[in-house]
Amino acid sequence: MKMKKKTWRILGGVALLVLAAASFGYYEYSRGNADLEGATAQVCIAAPALLGEFTQNEAQADAKYLNKITCARGVVKSVEKDHTGSISITLDAGDPIANVSCELDVRHINQAEKIHAGDTVNMTGICTGMLTDVVLVRCIAEVQ
């Protein structure tokens, strides 16, 4: 039994829609994050003050900093590389337990070679809130 012309057109249209949806899905899945180089920080604050705001009122600090491009200024306490090759720079926030933890953007890993404990830096990244430390991700470093 032969299919009618109208049925073939409907099946072809559905196939095109499925192909378009799959292409868009793959594009969104494989798209990377934007590079923050050249981006202007919405907030720029000293590391001790940033930690202080989160310690005093975390909900209010979340409203002010969460998912925003934030610049944290401070003295480098440590530079650490983990098993995945990710580099984390810890800024001294004047607290014996908590600090400001900044994970370098993978596109700017080479900046870690210029940063040492005791240096004063500006770390610009996306604030993801506070665990034990206040955390900034996708950071770019600027040594003072």
Side-chain angles (χ1 to χ4, degrees):
M1 198 163 141
K2 291 186 176 184
M3 294 183 94
K4 293 183 180 180
K5 220 178 203 183
K6 186 176 183 180
T7 305
W8 281 109
R9 286 184 181 165
I10 292 172
L11 288 176
V14 169
L16 283 174
L17 285 174
V18 169
L19 181 62
S23 297
F24 179 74
Y26 177 75
Y27 169 76
E28 285 297 313
Y29 174 76
S30 61
R31 180 173 53 111
N33 291 320
D35 191 352
L36 295 180
E37 187 170 32
T40 304
Q42 295 167 303
V43 180
C44 201
I45 187 168
L50 181 62
L51 179 63
E53 286 193 38
F54 272 95
T55 303
Q56 289 173 3
N57 189 338
E58 190 170 351
Q60 189 176 16
D62 277 344
K64 189 174 180 180
Y65 300 106
L66 193 63
N67 296 322
K68 294 188 176 139
I69 300 175
T70 304
C71 172
R73 294 182 307 273
V75 177
V76 175
K77 192 172 188 178
S78 66
V79 178
E80 299 173 0
K81 186 174 186 177
D82 69 9
H83 66 283
T84 64
S86 178
I87 296 179
S88 182
I89 297 172
T90 304
L91 300 181
D92 187 6
D95 186 292
I97 298 171
N99 297 292
V100 176
S101 178
C102 308
E103 184 181 327
L104 277 178
D105 189 315
V106 294
R107 293 167 280 216
H108 301 281
I109 291 288
N110 58 347
Q111 291 178 337
E113 299 168 359
K114 303 172 191 169
I115 300 171
H116 307 287
D119 290 347
T120 301
V121 296
N122 284 344
M123 299 297 295
T124 302
I126 306 291
C127 182
T128 60
M130 181 175 179
L131 299 172
T132 301
D133 295 340
V134 176
V135 180
L136 299 177
V137 296
R138 296 176 35 212
C139 290
I140 298 172
E142 180 186 330
V143 180
Q144 298 289 309

